[in-house]
Amino acid sequence: MIQFLSHIISGLSLGSIYAIIALGYSMVYGIAKMLNFAHGDVIMIGAYVSFSATQYFGMHPIASVVISVIMCTILGIAIEGFAYKPLRKATSLAVLITAIGMSYLLQNLALLIWGANPKSFTSVVGLGTLSLFGGEMHITSETIVTVLANIIIMIALTTFINKTKMGKAMRAVSEDKGAAELMGINVNLTISMTFAIGSALAAIAGVLLCSSYPSLMPTTGSMPGIKAFTAAVFGGIGSIPGALIGGLLLGLIEILGKAYVSDQLGDALVFAVLIIVLLVRPAGLLGKKVHEKV
Amino acid sequence: MKRKISKTFINNLITYAIVIIAFFICKLALSGDIEGFKMSRSLKGQLIPICVYIVMAVSLNLTVGISGELSLGHAGFMSIGAYAGIVASQWLGSAFPEANIDVVRLIAALISGGIAAGVAGFLIGIPVLRLRGDYLAIVTLAFGEIIRNLINCLYVSVEGGTLHTGFLLTSPLPGKKIIAGPMNTSGIDKLASFDAAFVVVLIALFVVLNLINSRSGRAIMASRDNRIAAESMGVNVTKYKMMAFVTSAALAGIAGAMYGLNTSIEPKKFGFDTSILILVFVVLGGIGSIRGSVIAATLLTVLPEVLREFGSYRMLVYAIVLILVMLARNSVFVKQILSIVTGCIKLIFKRSRRGEAS
């Protein structure tokens, strides 16, 4: 029973990381209608920046997280401005391939700068472990911080989207780009802003991911990226609560599947559940069903 | 009166001609008969992979370009074909150890690879083709990952003509190992040859080009362009989409079988990255253009070899080239320049023709 509980907790922790990454995917998809495959690699860059700041420049871990968030925000805006903005009117497949090219570019840049050998990431939290039930169950401080960070980010983002002017502009652009432009909304600025927020979240997710799973490589971001993306689809792409629920469920399924079914088949299980959900609810758990007009 | 030859027929002939001429040029370079015209060692090793990737790109183009369904799990079918082909050829080899039947084994491997992938394509197609758009893409991605994960746990060994299979094993199987879970395949007879790979390319081109220009192909394209209109015209949309999907999967399986009999493979090879690589060939070559797929697959497989002199900057340059090509193909500015250039060329041609006439 206690073992089951600790699996649930580590599932929630992994799920929180997926949820934070999924938010970036979901927001960008909702507003720019594109699959940003380079998002997973922004996570990796964020983790590397934080790693370098602490290892090579001897900075305080918290300061390194701030630097990493700033760098990733700039990177996100730069990627959008350089690679995606010229393709606003192109087909979605062309944008997809450009995003894939961007993902290769970031991976290989990281490979050149930091090398192929896995770096051992020192946790930015490092507050020790919480023992419960007379030492039978351990919860690391990373787990607690990850779950807390996820809750704070969700609340902050929901408030931002619903209460601020920029948030309103984002919702308007995701609803109808043309109409939003006619109402005087700066669509390009709104899209850049979305990328900035998504990339800042990716940096946080990267640091949290590598604090829990300390091996850092140029390909670290790709698998969590794909899984977070399925989490976004799972919950209904474009919806913030959907990303939260999708991410948490995916994390739980993965950890429980690896623990109780088979270690090697955990990923297959995640994707099988995704397929079943999409077949029953083709727009995801919380997605809106779009009726086709004839 | 001369019978008018259709434009598509000529177009297809050009495609075949390009492939056949390229094959003979490669043959000439391989033989080294002409002084100073020889293929480098690294390029020689790429010949069969090029053919495999051409078949992969052409088959994916059938799904993405002709049928209009974005598939992100094409490498999954390739891996099914590869492993089925390996099992078939190794089983035949151990069942008839005396006979010299390499060609038969190769053909059996290709056919069983194609059939296995085709059946998988049918089974996956039933749920997948119910979805649309991005959701369909995600589900194909998910199936690709599931296939890779399952093969990762698959163990097959052969002993005197009988096959032993196991799933998620801890103890080793008796006999000679063929497929060993996440490990590289080893001890597989390298039955693939450039000539055979070339024949497979021709077969794939023949199947796809003829399918496109048939009644079924037109039905497939009609359901891509407007599903509702096609349905109301009496086209069985699901049936034709399934036809395209299964054909594409089977061709990918054949390509995979050829690949598995050429180099040592591991399940990791057929992940999401390979699916994306093939999609890149299709999109760069032009969606729906078979000739474009052939050319793009060839160039992009050769490109990393050519870029070898950049050393560790190789893949970085590849990524930059990819992004720049996509930007150039879609940017308004470059399109304008291109249209001016082609306009000038056309003008020059017209002038010279007029000059000949007068």
Side-chain angles (χ1 to χ4, degrees):
Chain A
M1 186 60 214
I2 287 171
Q3 207 187 5
F4 179 72
L5 211 61
S6 70
H7 284 316
I8 293 275
I9 288 171
S10 50
L12 283 179
S13 160
L14 182 65
S16 298
I17 296 172
Y18 286 156
I20 299 173
I21 310 172
L23 266 182
Y25 264 119
S26 207
M27 283 177 69
V28 168
Y29 185 87
I31 286 164
K33 294 281 176 291
M34 65 164 288
L35 302 177
N36 181 16
F37 265 108
H39 195 69
D41 301 285
V42 177
I43 299 165
M44 172 268 300
I45 298 277
Y48 266 119
V49 169
S50 163
F51 170 81
S52 310
T54 48
Q55 291 289 309
Y56 305 140
F57 300 103
M59 274 185 208
H60 189 268
I62 304 295
S64 81
V65 176
V66 174
I67 297 231
S68 148
V69 168
I70 294 171
M71 292 289 278
C72 280
T73 310
I74 296 171
L75 181 70
I77 295 174
I79 291 175
E80 199 272 328
F82 170 70
Y84 303 152
K85 200 179 269 174
L87 298 177
R88 260 317 123 67
K89 296 217 164 58
T91 57
S92 63
L93 257 181
V95 187
L96 182 73
I97 301 293
T98 315
I100 289 159
M102 212 60 206
S103 155
Y104 282 160
L105 184 72
L106 291 180
Q107 275 183 26
N108 286 292
L109 272 180
L111 191 70
L112 284 175
I113 300 173
W114 288 286
N117 288 337
K119 300 261 191 277
S120 154
F121 191 91
T122 32
S123 166
V124 293
V125 187
L127 292 172
T129 316
L130 183 70
S131 289
L132 290 176
F133 301 112
E136 277 190 66
M137 191 167 104
H138 301 286
I139 305 175
T140 59
S141 51
E142 284 85 8
T143 309
I144 299 169
V145 170
T146 307
V147 175
L148 280 180
N150 182 25
I151 295 171
I152 294 169
I153 287 172
M154 287 299 160
I155 293 173
L157 207 63
T158 318
T159 325
F160 175 77
I161 295 281
N162 288 326
K163 301 278 190 248
T164 63
K165 208 167 177 186
M166 196 62 195
K168 205 182 229 173
M170 283 179 176
R171 277 183 290 146
V173 172
S174 83
E175 197 99 340
D176 189 331
K177 219 182 265 176
E181 202 159 17
L182 287 178
M183 294 298 127
I185 293 170
N186 187 341
V187 172
N188 276 332
L189 181 75
T190 313
I191 293 179
S192 297
M193 188 70 192
T194 314
F195 269 86
I197 294 175
S199 307
L201 293 179
I204 297 173
V207 171
L208 289 173
L209 178 75
C210 289
S211 293
S212 301
Y213 302 87
S215 150
L216 178 57
M217 281 188 290
T219 50
T220 296
S222 43
M223 203 57 199
I226 293 175
K227 283 201 191 131
F229 175 44
T230 52
V233 177
F234 196 40
I237 201 156
S239 132
I240 292 178
L244 174 69
I245 291 176
L248 289 180
L249 280 179
L250 210 71
L252 281 175
I253 295 167
E254 184 176 336
I255 296 283
L256 291 178
K258 276 188 176 157
Y260 292 108
V261 184
S262 152
D263 191 25
Q264 290 166 50
L265 288 176
D267 288 352
L269 209 68
V270 167
F271 289 115
V273 172
L274 171 84
I275 291 168
I276 293 168
V277 167
L278 281 188
L279 287 178
V280 180
R281 283 191 63 88
L285 287 174
L286 298 184
K288 269 183 262 170
K289 201 170 176 218
V290 183
H291 288 281
E292 207 171 335
K293 290 192 189 102
V294 185
Chain B
M1 212 173 82
K2 226 164 75 178
R3 201 167 136 251
K4 207 177 163 200
I5 303 169
S6 75
K7 211 170 170 184
T8 48
F9 181 71
I10 296 174
N11 249 329
N12 291 351
L13 273 190
I14 294 173
T15 310
Y16 288 122
I18 290 175
V19 174
I20 292 170
I21 291 169
F23 171 72
F24 281 112
I25 291 175
C26 286
K27 272 284 178 196
L28 207 62
L30 277 175
S31 67
D33 284 342
I34 302 169
E35 198 74 20
F37 186 66
K38 251 190 131 177
M39 207 172 270
S40 71
R41 245 188 119 74
S42 64
L43 209 56
K44 233 183 243 176
Q46 290 293 316
L47 284 177
I48 297 173
I50 287 173
C51 293
V52 169
Y53 284 129
I54 288 176
V55 177
M56 289 301 290
V58 167
S59 64
L60 185 62
N61 208 339
L62 186 60
T63 319
V64 176
I66 310 302
S67 175
E69 314 282 11
L70 177 58
S71 165
L72 296 176
H74 210 51
F77 297 125
M78 188 182 178
S79 69
I80 290 179
Y83 284 97
I86 285 175
V87 170
S89 70
Q90 289 303 106
W91 176 74
L92 273 177
S94 84
F96 309 100
E98 313 289 291
N100 187 14
I101 48 166
D102 276 3
V103 178
V104 179
R105 284 170 69 193
L106 178 63
I107 292 170
L110 294 179
I111 291 173
S112 50
I115 290 174
V119 170
F122 180 73
L123 293 178
I124 291 172
I126 295 170
V128 161
L129 294 176
R130 287 179 53 191
L131 299 164
R132 313 248 172 106
D134 293 323
Y135 292 100
L136 187 141
I138 300 310
V139 170
T140 52
L141 185 161
F143 270 115
E145 290 298 311
I146 289 175
I147 291 171
R148 187 175 61 91
N149 243 287
L150 292 181
I151 291 180
N152 225 348
C153 308
L154 181 70
Y155 296 81
V156 177
S157 74
V158 67
E159 192 181 28
T162 46
L163 285 173
H164 301 278
T165 53
F167 195 70
L168 275 176
L169 280 190
T170 42
S171 59
L173 289 169
K176 188 183 157 211
K177 267 188 289 184
I178 311 177
I179 299 172
M183 249 97 80
N184 262 317
T185 55
S186 58
I188 307 293
D189 305 307
K190 309 251 177 293
L191 297 170
S193 68
F194 181 43
D195 298 348
F198 168 71
V199 173
V200 169
V201 169
L202 279 189
I203 292 172
L205 280 179
F206 183 77
V207 169
V208 172
L209 288 177
N210 277 304
L211 178 62
I212 293 173
N213 295 326
S214 68
R215 184 191 162 88
S216 312
R218 285 186 289 275
I220 292 169
M221 285 187 275
S223 11
R224 169 196 67 188
D225 292 338
N226 194 331
R227 193 188 173 108
I228 293 165
E231 256 170 358
S232 56
M233 284 307 181
V235 173
N236 186 346
V237 171
T238 317
K239 177 185 148 196
Y240 284 109
K241 283 210 182 286
M242 184 62 98
M243 183 190 273
F245 198 73
V246 171
T247 313
S248 157
L251 286 175
I254 294 173
M258 184 59 87
Y259 193 81
L261 295 176
N262 181 40
T263 45
S264 155
I265 54 172
E266 52 182 343
K268 222 167 58 192
K269 172 84 185 75
F270 302 104
F272 178 61
D273 284 347
T274 309
S275 300
I276 288 297
L277 183 76
I278 296 154
L279 186 65
V280 167
F281 296 158
V282 172
V283 175
L284 270 188
I287 292 165
S289 155
I290 301 298
R291 197 190 308 157
S293 294
V294 173
I295 295 170
T298 313
L299 289 183
L300 285 183
T301 317
V302 175
L303 186 64
E305 294 301 315
V306 178
L307 293 177
R308 212 166 263 278
E309 56 189 290
F310 287 96
S312 49
Y313 292 91
R314 179 164 80 115
M315 287 312 288
L316 191 71
V317 176
Y318 181 87
I320 292 173
V321 169
L322 185 62
I323 295 174
L324 289 182
V325 170
M326 285 323 290
L327 288 181
R329 271 193 59 139
N330 290 290
S331 108
V332 182
F333 178 66
V334 177
K335 260 185 196 160
Q336 274 171 351
I337 290 182
L338 269 181
S339 69
I340 290 171
V341 171
T342 48
C344 286
I345 293 172
K346 267 183 194 161
L347 212 68
I348 293 166
F349 263 96
K350 259 185 197 163
R351 285 234 175 108
S352 64
R353 257 190 213 165
R354 223 175 275 157
E356 275 171 24
S358 64

